[in-house]
Amino acid sequence: MAITYEFIKTCRQTGARLGKVHTPHGSFDTPTFMPVGTLATVKTMSPEELEQMGANIILSNTYHLWLRPGEDIIEEAGGLHKFMNWDGAILTDSGGFQVFSLSDLREIKEEGVHFRNHISGEKLFLSPEKAMQIQNSLGSDIMMAFDECPPYPAEFDYMKKSVERTSRWAERCLEAHQKPDSQGLFGIVQGGEYEELRRQSARDLTSLDFPGYAIGGLSVGEPKDVMNRVLEFTSPLLPENKPRYLMGVGSPDSLIDGAVRGIDMFDCVLPTRIARNGTCMTSVGRLVVRNAKFSRDFRPIDEHCDCHTCRNYSRAYIRHLVKNNETFGFRLTTYHNLYFLLKLMEHVREAIREDRLGDFREEFFEQYGFNKPNAKNF
Ligand SMILES: [Zn+2]
């Protein structure tokens, strides 16, 4: 088995799990956050910097790499790890989410999805078999099954049909997967906000015995309490001896709330995307470093952070760089935001180990301002 999960303990104050995931490219402690490197690069960061900040696994996007530069070129280079010089673990998505969200001209059929390339307009076809072939060529440690991710909200009847198709597609993915010894394939539980459909999806997928499971179709515009409710009834449907991955979630409060509900892995473009807009996550809330009030502020972005950015550069300097679209400014904010989330997950793991994640959550939310009415979130 390419991917195995080592369960360590459950937090007695919450349902959070402490564990370790073993992959062909090293192990990582869970719960964890995975930085997103869409085009085989976490924008503005070198793999050396990612390693230095403590990232052990990153995510890359199948859809984008399929279109540019093409999975054949990456395979020729010796796989994605070699191509981008990253020795840690890599998870690739199936490409499905991008096809469903980026492309307007798409047609979903039983065999797969016909759509137009969002760059060239060329006609393309993505199916469970094609998604497996591309991910096998990329050589990621964790591959994702090709699923349909319907938008929120979706009607029950549509969602039911979609869930059933996703289960049939999952079977086809397992059959088409050529390298189960070196790459682990995760199934994705769908079903929107409907408990009955989440149950059905979880039942179908766990019967196929994947080495890990994702909960998909969340963080697609639903309110946070809906997401938390869905996690509450979906997470316990998944096997305890396999990792659980919540797709597309990366705001600090959602990471903690997901961990509390038994999630082990998260990914999101949020920390890197807002960094390139001059917005930073800090221990006391968000900080928009572009703001004029920082022009003479010579303190670090976050006074409680010991990252490379915060140890060496001031708000005033970073504001000046970001205001002038200097690449270095975006490197500094990106480094800080990723470090902040990786460190947050380290604190979460520590709190689980000591059975006090509930207290940690209260303190963090208080300090971050999430408990205030109209708190500014991401
Ligand atoms: Zn920092």
Side-chain angles (χ1 to χ4, degrees):
M1 277 259 259
I3 302 297
T4 52
Y5 175 70
E6 184 190 330
F7 171 78
I8 297 172
K9 68 166 284 186
T10 303
C11 170
R12 281 202 291 266
Q13 228 180 37
T14 64
R17 291 146 45 97
L18 185 70
K20 222 179 205 344
V21 174
H22 303 285
T23 86
H25 288 85
S27 305
F28 55 89
D29 298 317
T30 57
T32 198
F33 176 77
M34 306 181 280
V36 177
T38 295
L39 279 167
T41 170
V42 174
K43 287 192 200 314
T44 78
M45 290 291 101
S46 69
E48 292 80 3
E49 286 166 320
L50 293 171
E51 200 186 325
Q52 185 190 62
M53 67 173 75
N56 318 103
I57 175 165
I58 60 166
L59 180 145
S60 238
N61 292 116
T62 290
Y63 171 80
H64 294 277
L65 294 175
W66 175 35
L67 302 189
R68 295 175 298 183
E71 79 281 9
D72 51 328
I73 292 180
I74 294 175
E75 190 170 28
E76 218 177 295
L80 192 49
H81 297 84
K82 274 220 170 111
F83 185 56
M84 66 180 289
N85 188 36
W86 170 253
D87 284 334
I90 301 178
L91 181 149
T92 46
D93 63 1
S94 70
F97 184 78
Q98 276 76 25
V99 170
F100 291 110
S101 58
L102 282 182
S103 152
D104 4 301
L105 296 162
R106 61 166 190 264
E107 198 186 350
I108 307 167
K109 292 196 162 168
E110 186 61 27
E111 69 260 28
V113 186
H114 297 270
F115 64 101
R116 284 184 192 277
N117 177 338
H118 77 285
I119 310 157
S120 68
E122 175 198 1
K123 275 188 180 171
L124 290 168
F125 175 64
L126 194 56
S127 64
E129 290 76 18
K130 183 68 188 168
M132 293 303 104
Q133 178 257 306
I134 302 169
Q135 293 182 79
N136 279 153
S137 297
L138 296 174
S140 49
D141 302 280
I142 300 176
M143 307 171 25
M144 298 306 298
F146 185 70
D147 64 333
E148 186 192 348
C149 182
Y152 176 87
E155 295 287 327
F156 182 89
D157 291 346
Y158 182 85
M159 192 59 90
K160 187 169 169 65
K161 283 196 188 100
S162 167
V163 158
E164 286 163 0
R165 184 166 45 219
T166 286
S167 296
R168 291 191 295 274
W169 283 358
E171 276 185 62
R172 281 166 57 188
C173 285
L174 268 180
E175 233 163 82
H177 179 18
Q178 296 293 311
K179 299 175 182 169
D181 294 336
S182 56
Q183 296 179 268
L185 172 63
F186 282 20
I188 306 175
V189 173
Q190 290 286 353
E193 60 186 309
Y194 306 108
E195 184 167 355
E196 183 190 328
L197 299 182
R198 289 281 176 184
R199 278 184 189 283
Q200 182 179 348
S201 181
R203 203 167 43 232
D204 290 352
L205 292 166
T206 52
S207 76
L208 297 173
D209 200 23
F210 288 98
Y213 293 90
I215 299 176
L218 289 177
S219 199
V220 290
E222 78 284 359
K224 293 224 167 172
D225 58 316
V226 171
M227 174 156 85
N228 285 336
R229 190 168 51 82
V230 172
L231 288 179
E232 243 146 60
F233 58 66
T234 307
S235 190
L237 304 173
L238 302 175
E240 282 180 1
N241 60 346
K242 309 273 175 80
R244 303 170 186 169
Y245 161 33
L246 174 57
M247 307 179 82
V249 165
S251 66
D253 56 331
S254 300
L255 293 179
I256 297 173
D257 281 340
V260 161
R261 289 163 181 83
I263 301 298
D264 309 306
M265 299 160 65
F266 303 86
D267 81 284
C268 193
V269 293
L270 182 76
T272 41
R273 181 173 289 165
I274 63 173
R276 297 194 304 280
N277 192 23
T279 301
C280 297
M281 296 172 170
T282 81
S283 51
V284 291
R286 61 188 276 169
L287 183 145
V288 183
V289 76
R290 279 181 183 275
N291 286 351
K293 65 176 175 188
F294 299 123
S295 57
R296 285 188 169 78
D297 191 334
F298 302 104
R299 291 175 296 170
I301 296 280
D302 185 344
E303 290 179 287
H304 304 286
C305 179
D306 62 352
C307 84
H308 181 74
T309 300
C310 292
R311 275 188 287 113
N312 297 289
Y313 303 94
S314 68
R315 295 174 182 179
Y317 178 60
I318 297 170
R319 172 179 186 269
H320 156 71
L321 295 178
V322 165
K323 285 282 287 176
N324 289 289
N325 284 322
E326 285 289 347
T327 314
F328 188 49
F330 303 125
R331 285 172 45 70
L332 292 173
T333 52
T334 301
Y335 192 102
H336 165 81
N337 278 357
L338 287 175
Y339 185 93
F340 177 80
L341 285 189
L342 292 169
K343 208 64 185 175
L344 172 66
M345 297 318 277
E346 213 178 293
H347 293 317
V348 165
R349 292 193 297 268
E350 227 172 75
I352 298 173
R353 193 182 295 281
E354 295 164 4
D355 295 309
R356 52 170 183 84
L357 185 60
D359 298 339
F360 176 83
R361 180 188 179 279
E362 276 312 300
E363 285 157 31
F364 184 87
F365 275 46
E366 189 57 44
Q367 210 183 4
Y368 211 94
F370 284 132
N371 290 339
K372 286 181 209 142
N374 307 320
K376 256 201 185 165
N377 210 332
F378 294 102

